Amino acid sequence: MKPKARSGRTKKRKHAALARVKNRPRKPAPKLSSSGLRAAIEIGELVRNRAEAEAAIAQARKSHERLREAIDILPQGIVFLDSEGRYLLWNKKYAEIYNKSADLFEHGVRLQDTLRVGVERGDYPEANGREEAWITERLQKLYEPGERHEQKLSDGRVILIEERRTDDGGVVGLRVDITELKQREESFRLLFDGNPVPMIVCARDDGRILGVNDAAVAHYGYSRSDFERLTIQGLQAFDAETPWAGGDKHAARSWRHVKANGDLIDLAIYSRELVYGERPAVLLALMDVTERKRAEARVAFMAEHDGLTGLPNRALLRRQIGKMLPHTRRSKDGLAVLVLGLDNFKGVNDTLGHAVGDKLLRSVAKRLRSTLREEDKLARLNSDEFAIVQSGLRRPDEAVGLANRLLEAISDPYLIDGNSVVIGASIGIAMAPGDGEDFEKLLKSADMALSRAKTDARGTFSFFEAAMDARAHSRRKIEVELREAIQNEVLRPYYQPLVDLADGRITGFEALVRWPHPERGMISPAEFIPVAEDTGLISAVGAQVLRRACMDAATWPDHVSVAVNLSSLQFRSGNLLSVVNDTLRQSGLPPRRLELEITETLLLDKSPQVLATLHALRALGVRISMDDFGTGYSSLSYLRSFPFDKIKIDQSFVRDLGANREAQAIIRSIISLGQGLGVTITAEGVETEAELHCLRAEGCHEGQGFLFSKARPGSEVAGLLGAGTDADKAVWTMVA
Ligand code: C2E
Ligand code: MG
Ligand code: MG
């Protein structure tokens, strides 16, 4: 019911309004339309007589009709009003645009009256609540035309109005329906203003900022008025750089802008060409990629630097040297690669902990850096090795000077977490272009020189020599052949007797491995055991020697034991205990007849696992001897960490026995120490009667050395046991 009632009321209202408009006293319709029309249809001539006048009028009517036809096909609405604002002529589009008021348009009706009716009916939403004021403003615009303005209609359409005065005081008005344009503008506004991505519109020609969205204000920290004073630099270059693809483009290069707080930000820019308030402009959507760039830079830095010290790593050094080498070849200036290795850094880590170790490395890096010139390169190669590249070198002794300065800089004590830490270093030097044509070769040469420096005397430097390279090659050859020798089980223990110094009897034999080489004859263990240790072959070598020795010893008289040397590395494999156990079982040798010789290096780090293995071996019934006693760092402390069955005094002390009183004193104290601990003392390397005499006088229990016998093949053991050793006579002589 209600809608009906409403429509009834609306109808009534409409009729009333119509009546009002139509009943208003009107001027008689002008015969020849209005003067405006006259102007429009350009009738300029005077009519002389009625006939002429009528013809003219007919002519004018015709023109009027044509004009109407013409303006009806225009896409814009057109209206002609006379000087008092009365409708003279309007086209179809005009009536269409104001479809709600079209019924009011009539020749001679005043625009202000149709407006008033329209306002009353609510056709102009902008007038709501201020009807009179709105009408006044509207009429003002009508009579002071020139400015375009927009008008909203109740159905949401937006009409652009442009009005001009005609010569005769009338008005010609243009109406364009810009609803769609407005909607587009509106959606642009929405997309622009409400977008979380900072956006800027700037003039295409001078880069002036024309508009910014809230996100840009928030991101940059400038106010809108600050922005208006700014220009976007580099827009021209951006314009020229890449073509606009369909009005859009993404800047390949990155941009940098300054925020209000002074921060520099990196941006990726997506842009679109547009017209902004009639100016050719560019809309820039700004993606802040500062963090990403920073992360990328960090990743790139990490890839080429050492995380602990921040120094370049091997990869970066390779790149740097790669650039320097061609120059070295062209010019007379040489280049030195120094590889600096810290001496016993592992010891610092083990005793003071890794935190102190790390701090030490950082301090070392700092000292090294401050010793170098700006143009010298410094890198950390691995845990305790650094590389220094000295360029512009005229003479090798300049490298010597630097090496000495570096060694000196390193050697001062470091105070770390309350600990005074002292660390030495050794340096290997290789010269370019002589010692290697590329980075890897140079570094390898310097590395070899470093190994040489370390073995010669720690705390020094050594130059690379071609002989080192040859040595490295021969080492490699040994490795290959040793693998083959292990495969073919050609390694053999030789046996050197251990003699009881009290009665001259052989108590046992030490198994000393020999490698019968088809070309080189018998190779000494001193030559190939270190290679076996470096290459992981030592476990296989050790197991083969142990098996042979146990099997051989099982055939000897029951009171004769066998001593087998173990490398520290065999303890790392984890299966040493089972290897020994299995070997004893398979050979049938009673455990008490097996002695295992270890060296002090095994106890260097007092690893609980090593000590556990030693105890377990001893629990099997096997005896454990400390070999080469006196050559380690703190021999006495090792004696405390494990209850050895035997101590073998290193041959260097025995060698000095005759000439050196200190050596005698040392031997004497070791012997009394052994007596105190209830440990057998064996002297190694007994070569002379005098030495033997001395050792016996001091009460040494056992001797081993060339004086008694060299190590002999297993086949000769029975003979040695039967005939006694070469020194038997001497012993008996002394006992007698
Ligand atoms: P080591 O265990 O201290 O063995 C004693 C070394 O001194 C042997 O050298 C021996 O021939 C030598 N020697 C004995 N008496 C005298 C002497 O009166 N004067 C001199 N100048 N030397 C004497 P070799 O056989 O060359 O062995 C050297 C080292 O190789 C051994 O020292 C031992 O540490 C190691 N080694 C030998 N065989 C093995 C093995 O099967 N396994 C392991 N891991 N190491 C072994
Ligand atoms: Mg030994
Ligand atoms: Mg020894």
Side-chain angles (χ1 to χ4, degrees), residues 310-371:
L311 289 180
N313 63 12
R314 179 186 287 259
L316 179 53
L317 188 71
R318 180 186 296 116
R319 201 151 60 78
Q320 290 171 334
I321 297 191
K323 279 193 207 142
M324 293 156 85
L325 278 176
H327 174 76
T328 311
R329 266 172 239 132
R330 280 194 305 273
S331 72
K332 283 200 199 86
D333 291 352
L335 182 147
V337 176
L338 292 83
V339 173
L340 180 146
L342 298 178
D343 295 335
N344 193 26
F345 174 68
K346 191 178 174 299
V348 174
N349 259 346
D350 289 347
T351 50
L352 299 172
H354 285 267
V356 172
D358 286 354
K359 285 182 188 164
L360 175 65
L361 286 171
R362 278 195 215 112
S363 307
V364 166
K366 233 184 249 163
R367 286 198 196 171
L368 291 176
R369 186 64 264 179
S370 61
T371 311

Side-chain angles (χ1 to χ4, degrees), residues 510 512 565 597 627 648 684:
E510 177 173 3
L512 295 162
N565 293 283
E597 296 190 4
D627 202 355
K648 297 181 79 176
E684 296 187 272

Side-chain angles (χ1 to χ4, degrees), residues 168-405:
D168 57 2
V171 172
V172 55
L174 210 65
R175 303 287 189 274
V176 183
D177 185 341
I178 56 165
T179 314
E180 231 177 88
L181 192 77
K182 276 277 146 189
Q183 275 166 354
R184 250 186 287 140
E185 254 184 52
E186 193 51 36
S187 42
F188 170 76
R189 277 261 146 239
L190 268 174
L191 266 177
F192 185 72
D193 284 338
N195 207 304
V197 176
M199 289 189 186
I200 289 178
V201 176
C202 56
R204 182 94 188 254
D205 48 5
D206 58 8
R208 280 196 82 86
I209 293 180
L210 306 175
V212 290
N213 68 356
D214 293 344
V217 171
H219 196 75
Y220 281 87
Y222 297 117
S223 69
R224 279 177 195 276
S225 54
D226 285 342
F227 266 118
E228 275 160 25
R229 283 194 293 274
L230 293 172
T231 51
I232 296 285
Q233 307 275 324
L235 208 62
Q236 252 86 26
F238 174 55
D239 244 1
E241 220 161 61
T242 32
W244 290 88
D248 288 341
K249 72 174 167 185
H250 167 51
R253 72 190 165 106
S254 62
W255 293 54
R256 298 200 116 182
H257 286 172
V258 191
K259 287 217 275 198
N261 64 5
D263 284 356
L264 260 183
I265 50 173
D266 289 298
L267 299 157
I269 294 192
Y270 295 84
S271 57
R272 158 161 285 217
E273 282 181 302
L274 45 74
V275 174
Y276 191 84
E278 297 185 356
R279 280 186 84 167
V282 183
L283 167 75
L284 305 172
L286 311 158
M287 316 290 283
D288 190 330
V289 293
T290 318
E291 260 317 303
R292 196 184 79 201
K293 284 237 148 181
R294 237 177 249 162
E296 280 170 4
R298 254 197 309 272
V299 168
F301 183 86
M302 294 303 284
E304 292 199 318
H305 289 81
D306 162 44
L308 182 70
T309 59
L311 289 180
N313 63 12
R314 179 186 287 259
L316 179 53
L317 188 71
R318 180 186 296 116
R319 201 151 60 78
Q320 290 171 334
I321 297 191
K323 279 193 207 142
M324 293 156 85
L325 278 176
H327 174 76
T328 311
R329 266 172 239 132
R330 280 194 305 273
S331 72
K332 283 200 199 86
D333 291 352
L335 182 147
V337 176
L338 292 83
V339 173
L340 180 146
L342 298 178
D343 295 335
N344 193 26
F345 174 68
K346 191 178 174 299
V348 174
N349 259 346
D350 289 347
T351 50
L352 299 172
H354 285 267
V356 172
D358 286 354
K359 285 182 188 164
L360 175 65
L361 286 171
R362 278 195 215 112
S363 307
V364 166
K366 233 184 249 163
R367 286 198 196 171
L368 291 176
R369 186 64 264 179
S370 61
T371 311
L372 298 174
R373 297 171 306 169
E374 188 69 33
E375 61 267 36
D376 296 332
K377 308 278 181 244
L378 172 65
R380 182 168 174 227
L381 297 178
N382 53 48
S383 71
D384 57 358
E385 273 185 15
F386 297 84
I388 295 105
V389 178
Q390 189 186 16
S391 54
L393 216 67
R394 297 277 163 164
R395 293 182 319 275
D397 42 306
E398 290 175 48
V400 172
L402 179 62
N404 278 326
R405 284 199 303 281

Side-chain angles (χ1 to χ4, degrees), residues 538-560:
I538 189 66
S539 291
V541 171
Q544 281 189 14
V545 173
L546 182 71
R547 203 179 62 241
R548 287 250 165 210
C550 289
M551 278 161 57
D552 286 347
T555 66
W556 303 340
D558 193 52
H559 66 277
V560 181

